[in-house]
Amino acid sequence: MGGVTRAAASSSPSPGPVGPSAPASAPGQDAAAPSLLGLAPVIPVVVLDDAADAVPLARALVAGGLPAIEVTLRTPAALDAIRAVAAEVPEAMIGAGTVLTPGQAEAARAAGARFLVSPGWSPRLLGAMKDSGLPFLPGVSTASEVVTLLEEGLTELKFFPAEAAGGTAYLASLATPLPRARFCPTGGIGPASAPSYLALPNVGCVGGTWMLPAGALAAKDWDRVRRLAREAAALAA
């Protein structure tokens, strides 16, 4: 998930047997780098109207065991929120979600985002996310999209909108024909359905908002957020 890395061309042809070649590692999905899907069983999807809430919220989520935090670029406060968490909560893996344009990808990177998430993708957006140098999860909802991104060397993907696009049954059906693809399903998932997703062999984590109830955010009840985050983190046990 940054600029595309390509294997250097050999100065002479290999005499070995010809067979399918592995795709070049996509930037940000380097096999040697830690998996974005392995940081925690749940990535909280955060919508913030007030950037002042970002730091205490991030601290509560990290304390509860959810260090990877996706702040969606749906509000004017989002970039300031990312900037504040990047500066004041270094133990958080702060990312930007709902990335829809190349400009948003660059603005999120400049604000301190450490990963990017999009609900879908286009060739132009995909190129910008690669060029950012950051890990990223492009959104997919069909097998054809998965095959296309595997050809690009991408193996970690967002499955969105998870429940509306077929849920666990659809993802389970992809595991055998497309074993290299791994997913972070997001969209309509709650604490009751999350374990079924996490039990699938091609799911590394899920995205959700249930540990961020509107009442707790409005009341700035960070203790409640921390408790709910701890319960979500325990889903991996």
Side-chain angles (χ1 to χ4, degrees), residues 89-181:
V89 194
E91 61 272 31
M93 179 81 166
I94 188 68
T98 321
V99 176
L100 302 177
T101 68
Q104 287 182 324
E106 172 54 27
R109 185 204 62 76
R114 296 171 63 188
F115 66 92
L116 306 174
V117 182
S118 64
W121 63 277
S122 68
R124 185 165 172 258
L125 178 58
L126 194 67
M129 290 195 292
K130 288 178 177 179
D131 289 343
S132 74
L134 300 175
F136 65 91
L137 297 174
V140 298
S141 60
T142 69
S144 294
E145 289 178 296
V146 176
V147 170
T148 301
L149 293 182
L150 287 173
E151 289 180 349
E152 292 284 330
L154 302 173
T155 59
E156 296 195 347
L157 312 169
K158 173 178 177 173
F159 180 62
F160 177 84
E163 288 288 278
T168 55
Y170 190 88
L171 280 174
S173 73
L174 297 181
T176 298
L178 301 170
R180 292 176 52 244

Side-chain angles (χ1 to χ4, degrees), residues 8-122:
S10 172
S11 58
S12 61
S14 169
V18 176
S21 59
S25 295
Q29 294 193 344
D30 189 330
S35 167
L36 191 57
L37 304 187
L39 297 173
V42 181
I43 296 180
V45 180
V46 179
V47 181
L48 283 173
D49 293 311
D50 186 351
D53 291 338
V55 167
L57 176 60
R59 286 176 174 154
L61 291 171
V62 170
L66 301 181
I69 302 167
E70 174 189 337
V71 174
T72 68
L73 301 183
R74 302 180 199 171
T75 68
L79 289 174
D80 284 339
I82 291 170
R83 194 172 290 112
V85 174
E88 300 185 43
V89 194
E91 61 272 31
M93 179 81 166
I94 188 68
T98 321
V99 176
L100 302 177
T101 68
Q104 287 182 324
E106 172 54 27
R109 185 204 62 76
R114 296 171 63 188
F115 66 92
L116 306 174
V117 182
S118 64
W121 63 277
S122 68

